[in-house]
Structures are given as C-alpha cells and as structure tokens.
C-alpha cells in the first residue's frame, strides 16, 4: 500500500503552506508548555462532563473522548470544493427521499434497483404520500469524508438519521481558543461557534405551514443514551426545551408539551430517537421512549420531525453505492465528491471477488454504525477472517466491501511525542429553506498506531478542524 497522504508535510518533507503558521508556533513552543496545555484540556473536559457511554460495557460507565491539541487545517480553496460537493450530495439525497415516498421516478427509470429500495428494512411504507415541509427530509446530515491517494477526498458514508458529534466540534474549538489564543490572533480561522444559531434558524424554517413563531424542542431517549451529553448541550445552546417522550402528549393530532403553566403546543421536534421508538401506536409497540399518536400528528402536518421519518433508507450502505447516480438523475451533474469504490456482496461476481480477497478489504454491515460489525482485512487474524466469511455466506445482502484506503494522517500528540495518525472528517450540512453549514466539522483521529478505525467507541479521539479564510 502507498504511504498515506500527510496533511502537514508534502512528499519531500516540506511543511505545506496551510500548516506553516502552526509549524512555526510549534517549533518555538517548549514541549513542557504543550504538555501542560494537554493536561489542562483533559481536566476541563472532565469537569464539563464531555463524555460518552460505550454500549456493551458496564452499565453507567462513561469515557472521556480523547482530545488532541494539534489541529487539522484545511486551506480555503480546498474547503470551497468540499462545500460545493456536500451541497450537491445532500440536495440529491433529499430529492431521492422525496421521490421514493411519492412518484418513485428514479425507480421507474431503472436507475436504481427497485427491490433494493422497497425491500430495504429502512424503507418506511408508512411515509408514502406524506408531504413534509419544503420536501426536505434530512435537515441535519453528517457526511463522513476521508482523504486518500494524492489527497483526493472521498465520501465514506452519509449519516441522515440522527447524526452525532457536533457538540465535540464546538467544544474542541472552544478549548483551542482558550488554550492557544495567540494562534487565533495570528491565523485567519473560519468560525464555527455560530452552529447552534444556524441549527435553530434551520429548525424554525421547516415549521408546519402557517406557524409564525414555532416552538422547537429536542427529543432525547434520556440520560442513558450514549449521546445524551450532546442532546443536553445542543438544547442549552439553542435555548430550547430538552424533552423525553413522557413530557409530550398528543390531542386531536396536535403535539403538546407538559409545563408548569399548562400544555404548550410544539411545532418542531428535533428528535434524537430512532424511527422505531417514536410512537408505540405506529412503530414498536413496546417503546416507552416515544409519544403515542405522534406519527398521526406528523402525517396530519401539525408537527415537523427532524430528521424526517424514513431517512434511514438514504444512509443505508447498500444505497450509498447509488448516490452518484442520484446526483446525475436529480441534479443533472457529475458528482463533485467521489464515493469510495464499493463491492455489493448481493452480486455474485462482487461476492466471489471479495471472498477471494478478504485479507485486503474492509467489509461492513449495510446497517452498521460506530465501527461495529466490520472486518478490516489487513489487521484481522485468520480466525476473524474465517468467521466473517461464514457471516457473508449466510447473508450476503447485508454486507458491502471497500478497498482498505490509506487514510490521510495528521500530526498527533501521543505518549511518544508528535506522530502521524489516521483521520477522517464529518462536516454537518443543514437543509431547510436553504442549505447551510459551518466551515470544517468534526475531525476524528485513530489514536492507535496504524489503526484506521476513528470511531470514539473504538478508541478514537477528536481534533479541532481549522478552515483558513484566505
């Protein structure tokens, strides 16, 4: 495999222009000063309670997400291309969702296999014919990008259900500004701290028709959810109520919130709850997290749910392979950002190739997330590969495979000093009356040497992402 693209150094070992300001500061700063700053960051994150729970570990056990003080820096011209590609992609995904729940033109045209969409467990037949404000389904999208080869960006996956991590993006920036104000004074770094304002404006813009001053709430599954810190953080930053299912009720297809002053109507629900648990009358009958009658109020057009019910079909990894075709079909354009080449294991030829090359490839479950349910061939043991082969043969339709990309590396502070570690990037794209985003996103870093898995649940950390304004 070719060496990974280095974000800071070019092939000859020279510092890239975007990193020169930071590199000069790094060289002139004593290591013990930097070590003290690292300790200060850890203490502050502990105090603020920026933690996440890991499913499968002891109940109630929470971890601090490791934070790295070396930023990931993106030049302005590079960000312009990324932003254009993200706008194009999210526009096409929203058009696809609107289409498959209404006229299904892309299926009639034979551009995507009908069975792959209508037979998918993430497709919600209950949403057929339901009109959502502005035809927007994915109001908040987290698109995972990786950099490989000579520095090309690829879309690794689209997260359109309840994308998480934006609170870490905001807290990482706040931390860097606190620790290194001199760097922000010296370098023109695009701001991200207005994200909560953008998000609230976006949520208010998709209120049901005729609602002038919409009441927006954030619906959380509760404090035992792994992303509860983020739910509470975003509600507080936007100045809206954080509610659980039992704080809401439905009367005459209208949603109300219980308050000490009596019932208060709710117009927009930013839900961080999966479709299945939203309404026990419409979906899982055993759900105690949702609101009975919520889906009926939604169908009647009396409340907006963000993201819309049924968006999961568009971030399913079996559908991911068709996003370039969606862009051509709905936008009449070639994709600005490429997909990672992908083998569909439901296809006999693809399956045959993948089974013969498991040791070289990454295999993922189509519904999987968080780095779970995957095989990273080059780092897997013979036993793990043999077990995964059995899983594939038992249910090939539930897997895709991709080449093992040499993800780009960024200098990172580890126990041995500064060393390159693999990274990805998750920008957050907001869709409503218009498409908006803050420059950058959440950079995740694989802290284990040689590891390509950046997920926090698998030992990854985070970095601040600096987009230069000039």
């Amino acid at each position: 495999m070719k060496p990974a693209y280095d974000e800071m150094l070019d092939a000859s070992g020279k510092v890239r222009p975007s990193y020169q300001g930071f590199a000069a500061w790094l060289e002139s700063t004593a290591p013990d000063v930097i070590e003290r700053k690292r300790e200060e960051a850890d203490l502050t994150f502990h105090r603020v309670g920026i933690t996440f729970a890991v499913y499968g570990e002891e109940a109630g056990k929470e971890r601090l997400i490791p934070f790295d003080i070396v930023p990931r820096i993106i030049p302005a011209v590079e960000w312009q291309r990324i932003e254009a590609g993200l706008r194009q992609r999210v526009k096409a995904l929203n058009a696809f969702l609107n289409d498959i729940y209404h006229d299904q033109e892309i299926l009639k045209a034979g551009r995507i296999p009908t069975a792959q969409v209508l037979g998918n467990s993430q497709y919600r037949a209950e949403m057929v014919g339901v009109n959502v404000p502005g035809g927007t389904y994915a109001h908040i999208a987290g698109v995972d990008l990786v950099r490989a080869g000579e520095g090309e960006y690829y879309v690794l996956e689209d997260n359109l259900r309840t994308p998480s991590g934006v609170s870490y993006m905001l807290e990482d920036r706040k931390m860097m500004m606190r620790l290194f104000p001199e760097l922000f004074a010296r370098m023109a770094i695009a701001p991200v701290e207005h994200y909560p304002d953008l998000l609230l404006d976006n949520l208010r813009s998709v209120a049901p028709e005729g609602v002038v001053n919409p009441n927006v709430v954030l619906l959380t599954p509760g404090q035992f959810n792994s992303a509860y810190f983020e739910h509470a953080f975003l509600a507080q930053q936007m100045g809206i109520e954080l509610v659980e299912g039992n704080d809401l009720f439905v009367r005459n297809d209208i949603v109300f919130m219980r308050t000490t002053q009596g019932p208060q109507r709710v117009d927009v629900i930013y839900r961080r709850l999966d479709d299945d648990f939203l309404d026990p009358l419409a979906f899982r009958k055993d759900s105690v997290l949702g609101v009975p009658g919520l889906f009926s109020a939604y169908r009647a057009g009396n409340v907006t749910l963000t993201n819309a019910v049924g968006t999961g079909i568009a971030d399913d990894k079996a559908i991911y392979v068709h996003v370039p075709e969606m862009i051509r079909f709905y936008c009449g354009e070639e994709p600005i950002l490429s997909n990672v080449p992908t083998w569909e294991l439901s296809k006999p030829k693809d399956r045959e190739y993948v089974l013969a090359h498991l040791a070289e490839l990454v295999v993922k479950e189509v519904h999987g997330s968080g780095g779970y349910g995957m095989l990273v061939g080059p780092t897997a043991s013979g036993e793990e590969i043999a077990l995964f082969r059995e899983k594939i043969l038992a249910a090939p339709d539930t897997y895709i495979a991709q080449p093992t990309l040499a993800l780009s590396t960024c200098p990172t502070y580890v126990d041995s000093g500064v060393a390159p570690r693999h990274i990805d990037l998750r920008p957050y794209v907001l869709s409503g009356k218009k498409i908006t985003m803050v420059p950058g996103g959440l950079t995740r870093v694989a802290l284990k040497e040689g590891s390509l898995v950046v997920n926090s649940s698998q030992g990854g950390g985070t970095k601040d992402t600096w987009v230069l304004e000039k």
Side-chain angles (χ1 to χ4, degrees):
M1 193 188 289
K2 282 177 71 177
Y5 180 89
D6 190 308
E7 299 281 339
M8 186 169 170
L9 304 174
D10 66 18
S12 66
K14 277 180 148 177
V15 176
R16 298 185 192 277
S18 56
Y19 269 90
Q20 281 169 0
F22 179 79
W25 171 87
L26 191 61
E27 203 163 302
S28 63
T29 306
D32 61 315
V33 172
I34 291 170
E35 186 54 43
R36 282 203 306 274
K37 298 284 189 184
R38 284 181 71 195
E39 288 168 7
E40 187 183 333
D42 281 352
L43 280 170
T44 306
F45 278 145
H46 265 297
R47 197 164 60 243
V48 176
I50 303 172
T51 58
F52 71 103
V54 181
Y55 295 124
E57 291 197 349
E58 305 154 37
K61 184 174 179 182
E62 296 205 327
R63 285 192 200 159
L64 187 75
I65 291 191
F67 166 69
D68 183 57
I69 61 173
V70 180
R72 189 250 186 91
I73 303 175
I74 300 173
V77 68
E78 214 170 86
W79 176 252
Q80 285 165 6
R81 180 176 173 79
I82 293 170
E83 185 176 8
L86 292 169
R87 287 176 181 276
Q88 179 195 58
R89 191 172 182 98
V90 171
K91 183 180 172 187
L93 285 163
N94 270 309
F96 167 72
L97 286 160
N98 193 52
D99 183 24
I100 61 165
Y101 290 121
H102 288 84
D103 300 327
Q104 302 185 345
E105 296 292 349
I106 199 165
L107 304 184
K108 290 172 187 168
R111 304 284 280 270
I112 295 179
T114 300
Q116 266 196 349
V117 175
L118 304 188
N120 193 296
S121 64
Q122 296 299 316
Y123 180 75
R124 295 285 179 185
E126 302 92 338
M127 284 296 291
V128 172
V130 176
N131 294 316
V132 299
T136 302
Y137 286 73
H139 309 88
I140 301 120
V143 182
D144 290 348
L145 303 176
V146 294
R147 205 170 189 192
E150 301 301 314
E152 309 91 53
Y153 283 93
Y154 293 91
V155 176
L156 189 64
E157 61 184 56
D158 307 287
N159 299 281
L160 305 181
R161 278 172 261 192
T162 52
S164 64
V166 78
S167 58
Y168 306 119
M169 173 190 86
L170 295 168
E171 288 290 352
D172 287 356
R173 173 59 54 87
K174 199 189 294 182
M175 180 61 70
M176 289 295 281
M177 290 180 81
R178 173 182 169 161
L179 295 177
F180 309 113
E182 68 276 21
L183 279 169
F184 287 84
R186 193 184 301 175
M187 299 172 73
I189 300 161
V192 297
E193 50 272 23
H194 57 297
Y195 176 86
D197 298 331
L198 274 185
L199 176 58
L200 183 58
D201 287 347
N202 191 65
L203 295 172
R204 291 169 66 87
S205 79
V206 296
E209 207 173 327
V211 176
V212 180
N213 188 22
N215 184 25
V216 182
V217 300
L218 193 155
L219 175 62
T220 176
Q223 62 181 349
F224 296 111
N225 183 269
S226 63
Y228 182 73
F229 164 80
E230 176 157 296
H231 307 165
F233 174 88
L234 287 175
Q236 185 265 330
Q237 292 287 307
M238 288 189 283
I240 64 174
E241 292 293 335
L242 179 69
V243 298
E244 296 183 29
N246 56 14
D247 296 318
L248 305 177
F249 68 94
V250 176
R251 185 187 295 153
N252 300 326
D253 280 348
I254 293 172
V255 182
F256 293 93
M257 173 172 57
R258 294 181 172 90
T259 76
T260 51
Q261 283 81 45
Q264 187 180 354
R265 182 166 175 169
V266 172
D267 306 296
V268 180
I269 299 175
Y270 174 24
R271 51 98 174 206
R272 297 294 294 260
L273 193 59
D274 290 342
D275 288 357
D276 280 338
F277 301 100
L278 277 174
D279 180 352
L281 302 181
F283 305 113
R284 276 184 59 159
K285 292 178 172 47
D286 61 346
S287 172
V288 293
L289 301 173
V291 186
L294 177 59
F295 190 66
S296 177
Y298 180 54
R299 282 185 67 101
N302 293 329
V303 68
T304 302
L305 293 174
T306 62
N307 285 344
V309 173
T311 53
I313 181 69
D315 74 8
D316 184 273
K317 293 178 182 70
I319 299 299
Y320 158 90
V321 295
H322 302 296
V323 178
E325 195 56 34
M326 291 176 203
I327 292 169
R328 296 182 190 104
F329 187 79
Y330 297 113
C331 305
E333 300 164 355
E334 281 301 305
I336 296 168
L337 295 170
S338 300
N339 270 17
V340 175
T342 304
W343 291 274
E344 298 175 69
L345 271 60
S346 55
K347 294 179 175 175
K349 273 192 173 174
D350 283 13
R351 186 163 66 248
E352 188 182 329
Y353 176 84
V354 169
L355 288 171
H357 296 83
L358 278 178
E360 304 157 29
L361 305 174
V362 175
V363 187
K364 301 176 182 176
E365 281 183 327
V366 294
H367 306 320
S369 64
Y372 294 104
M374 64 189 284
L375 174 81
V376 181
T379 62
S381 67
E383 189 182 357
E384 286 168 332
I385 289 172
L387 279 170
F388 227 87
R389 179 185 300 278
E390 296 307 313
K391 287 184 183 178
I392 291 167
L393 290 169
D397 294 14
T398 59
Y399 293 96
I400 58 158
Q402 294 171 331
T404 308
L405 297 178
L407 306 189
S408 66
T409 63
C410 185
T412 301
Y413 265 96
V414 292
D415 292 340
S416 57
V418 180
R421 291 291 184 267
H422 296 291
I423 56 171
D424 78 350
L425 176 66
R426 178 178 289 182
Y428 296 89
V429 186
L430 303 176
S431 304
K433 289 254 184 339
K434 54 189 178 180
I435 297 177
T436 54
M437 68 193 86
V438 295
L442 177 68
T443 290
R444 300 183 298 178
V445 54
L447 294 172
K448 294 174 191 164
E449 188 175 359
S451 173
L452 298 170
V453 183
V454 298
N455 305 77
S456 53
S457 54
Q458 308 283 307
T462 66
K463 289 173 171 283
D464 193 11
T465 309
W466 294 359
V467 172
L468 301 182
E469 290 192 306
K470 51 188 171 182

